[in-house]
Amino acid sequence: MKQNNSKEELDQTLKSLDEKSEWNQVDRESLKKRIFTDIDGKSTFKRNIQRQRLKYYMALAAVGMLLFLLVSPNLFSLGENGGEGLQNPLNEFDIKNYEQYAVTLQNENGYTKEEASKFAFEVELLKVALINKAIEIGIEITDEDAKKQAKEEREMFESGKLSDAEKKSIEETIVDLGITEEQFWNEYVVQTGAKMQLMIERLHDYHNENYPEMHWDDFANQIVGNFRIKEAEKIKKFKGEIGLD
Amino acid sequence: MPKDTKTIIDEAYEQYSDAIFKYICMMVRDYQQGQDLTHETFIKAYENYESFEGKAELKTWLFRIAHNVTIDYVRKKKPLRLIESFLNNKKDPSPLPEENLKIQEDVKVLYKGISNLKPAYKEVIILRKIKGFSINETSEILHWSENKVKVTLHRAMPLLKKELEKEGYEHETKQ
């Protein structure tokens, strides 16, 4: 259908957008019922929400960290002939990672500078604490395992299962890194995102086997808590370097 | 006799829930989440109704709450959605919520184009152009200055046109 989106027509079409979409009335009524049931039992509801938020935060921090590692152009530096390997060990604080993620949170997720700094620090802390714990209990990821993981991720990318935004994000990362697509999948993803993902997965397996009664969020929280005590000096130094009180 | 808060929220739901739900749905591109955030909006409205001083219209106040809960969700959810999809071999979890929200054929492209914009642009277009809020009301909802509303809208519209062109929406410039 041919459409005209001159300014006036576009404005008119935008105005009519609400009228041209319809919310399922059964769902609407059912939501109303849910709202008023919750209003009637408000105190219980509030307690549940608080619990859910705490749980959600930990899960979010974990996946946010993984995303960051996967797409951050600063974690890994490639030499002229391909890959030279990791510049910064995954189990150490990395200012460039932190800064890059904080900027992303501000530019793409709408965080204020202060919120972005805090959240990026929490993510960096969680990353370092979990990876150190994984190393401490003897988890090692071979290049072969990481390559296999990276291959699966690439297949998903190429099969069109990712959204446009996700594809765009990966393509931009390749450009930012200044490497070829082959180098991105065969070297960058292998050494960073894939290894990190597998280490966290193995740590998760370890948790399931050894502490089945404990929720993963609590387990991760405990690791971060212990790390804060054990590495207080290191954390203080990092916070000083990034200017976070 | 003054109405009690529950009655006021009940009437507000009847009057504004549709507009609020569609606004949230367009922001988050997820039908179920759209309902959950609408739920949160009305619960918050009920809990905080005492703080509503009547300086703004009730609708503006409700949209302000909806904006707060939505932007909070969008900020937190984005990395989660991306990584879940990328690492867990899932299909795009954020298609247009068409199956449940019936969108007429001739505006689907427009709906998608808006959805592809970054949150601030998307939101200012929805509030100003779709919901018809004034610059002043929009600035109250978004906690922005009026100037920021104008500037952001001015930047957002050409980007929307670009998105529409990408989606095959034909562009004819009137002379």
Side-chain angles (χ1 to χ4, degrees):
Chain A
M1 184 196 298
K2 187 173 181 180
Q3 294 171 76
N4 184 324
N5 68 345
S6 64
K7 188 179 178 305
E8 298 79 6
E9 289 198 12
L10 182 57
D11 280 355
Q12 283 305 318
T13 316
L14 285 167
K15 265 185 198 167
S16 70
L17 205 57
D18 262 5
E19 292 162 18
K20 292 186 173 185
S21 59
E22 194 186 325
W23 183 12
N24 182 306
Q25 287 307 298
V26 176
D27 288 351
R28 184 178 176 277
E29 286 311 308
S30 153
L31 181 64
K32 183 176 177 182
K33 202 174 163 191
R34 181 152 71 97
I35 288 169
F36 283 92
T37 305
D38 284 338
I39 282 176
D40 290 337
K42 198 163 63 72
S43 53
T44 314
F45 170 75
K46 262 186 161 176
R47 281 200 300 276
N48 286 340
I49 286 288
Q50 277 166 357
R51 275 203 296 272
Q52 280 169 16
R53 279 189 180 151
L54 181 67
K55 205 171 137 186
Y56 174 71
Y57 174 77
M58 286 308 293
L60 172 73
V63 290
M65 176 267 294
L66 286 171
L67 166 70
F68 157 60
L69 288 163
L70 193 64
V71 300
S72 167
N74 293 312
L75 188 65
F76 186 67
S77 173
L78 293 168
E80 286 175 10
N81 300 320
E84 285 179 350
L86 289 170
Q87 280 198 328
N88 303 293
L90 296 176
N91 64 330
E92 292 290 341
F93 285 115
D94 189 306
I95 292 183
K96 281 187 180 175
N97 284 337
Y98 160 82
E99 286 172 347
Q100 175 72 28
Y101 189 43
V103 168
T104 303
L105 288 171
Q106 283 181 76
N107 292 345
E108 295 181 21
N109 295 51
Y111 280 62
T112 64
K113 195 177 175 189
E114 196 187 12
E115 288 169 339
S117 301
K118 271 186 177 174
F119 191 74
F121 167 74
E122 293 297 329
V123 167
E124 186 67 16
L125 176 65
L126 181 67
K127 176 201 84 177
V128 175
L130 292 183
I131 293 302
N132 272 287
K133 180 69 181 177
I135 292 169
E136 185 189 311
I137 61 175
I139 292 172
E140 282 178 19
I141 305 299
T142 65
D143 281 353
E144 281 313 302
D145 287 341
K147 277 177 190 166
K148 197 176 156 203
Q149 181 67 33
K151 190 170 169 253
E152 284 173 16
E153 288 165 7
R154 183 176 190 172
E155 281 167 3
M156 189 166 56
F157 174 75
E158 289 171 347
S159 68
K161 284 182 182 170
L162 299 182
S163 70
D164 289 347
E166 289 158 356
K167 275 193 272 182
K168 197 177 156 202
S169 171
I170 291 170
E171 284 160 2
E172 282 174 0
T173 303
I174 294 173
V175 172
D176 288 345
L177 286 163
I179 57 177
T180 65
E181 201 174 317
E182 290 303 312
Q183 286 174 321
F184 175 78
W185 291 107
N186 298 333
E187 295 163 17
Y188 175 76
V189 174
V190 170
Q191 293 300 329
T192 57
K195 276 203 171 168
M196 177 65 64
Q197 186 197 349
L198 289 171
M199 283 186 103
I200 303 289
E201 278 180 12
R202 301 271 164 88
L203 183 64
H204 194 258
D205 293 343
Y206 168 86
H207 152 261
N208 286 339
E209 281 167 25
N210 295 281
Y211 303 94
E213 77 292 348
M214 197 176 190
H215 196 284
W216 162 255
D217 296 345
D218 297 329
F219 181 70
N221 221 348
Q222 196 178 76
I223 291 172
V224 174
N226 290 339
F227 187 81
R228 279 184 191 273
I229 296 166
K230 197 176 158 191
E231 300 291 351
E233 275 308 308
K234 194 185 267 187
I235 295 169
K236 193 178 165 192
K237 186 171 171 251
F238 179 64
K239 281 177 119 177
E241 285 169 354
I242 60 176
L244 198 71
D245 292 325
Chain B
M1 192 175 128
K3 290 175 187 171
D4 66 14
T5 307
K6 210 171 149 184
T7 308
I8 291 166
I9 298 301
D10 191 327
E11 288 172 0
Y13 187 86
E14 287 305 319
Q15 227 177 329
Y16 305 120
S17 64
D18 197 69
I20 287 173
F21 168 72
K22 286 173 185 172
Y23 155 70
I24 294 175
C25 228
M26 206 176 282
M27 289 296 294
V28 301
R29 295 179 68 172
D30 183 321
Y31 187 84
Q32 191 51 51
Q33 197 59 47
Q35 294 206 135
D36 287 348
L37 295 175
T38 303
H39 170 274
E40 197 175 336
T41 298
F42 281 93
I43 292 288
K44 278 188 190 292
Y46 174 79
E47 289 176 340
N48 298 293
Y49 188 72
E50 280 179 14
S51 69
F52 175 59
E53 294 167 343
K55 283 180 189 166
E57 292 287 326
L58 181 62
K59 185 182 175 186
T60 308
W61 185 69
L62 287 169
F63 265 86
R64 186 169 172 161
I65 298 172
H67 157 77
N68 288 340
V69 301
T70 304
I71 212 68
D72 191 43
Y73 169 81
V74 169
R75 285 173 177 179
K76 289 175 182 167
K77 181 69 181 172
K78 190 181 171 186
L80 182 67
R81 179 180 289 167
L82 196 54
I83 198 68
E84 274 178 350
S85 168
F86 194 87
L87 298 179
N88 297 337
N89 224 5
K90 287 180 184 171
K91 284 186 180 174
D92 177 9
S94 57
L96 291 177
E98 287 170 41
E99 283 175 18
N100 297 304
L101 184 67
K102 287 180 190 161
I103 303 166
Q104 284 182 23
E105 202 59 41
D106 59 333
V107 291
K108 273 184 183 171
V109 173
L110 191 55
Y111 202 99
K112 196 173 178 195
I114 294 169
S115 299
N116 285 341
L117 296 173
K118 52 190 262 195
Y121 292 153
K122 196 190 302 188
E123 201 159 31
V124 78
I125 289 176
I126 296 172
L127 294 173
R128 287 283 292 126
K129 299 286 184 179
I130 300 174
K131 305 296 177 189
F133 283 109
S134 67
I135 290 173
N136 177 266
E137 288 166 333
T138 306
S139 77
E140 278 183 30
I141 293 167
L142 300 178
H143 316 268
W144 293 355
S145 68
E146 291 191 8
N147 192 48
K148 187 175 174 185
V149 172
K150 288 181 203 165
V151 170
T152 309
L153 184 64
H154 185 69
R155 287 179 184 156
M157 289 306 285
L159 292 171
L160 173 61
K161 284 184 183 172
K162 241 184 208 175
E163 283 293 330
L164 296 178
E165 282 164 6
K166 268 200 282 182
E167 298 290 338
Y169 201 88
E170 290 188 30
H171 185 184
E172 291 177 10
T173 309
K174 281 189 174 172
Q175 298 300 315

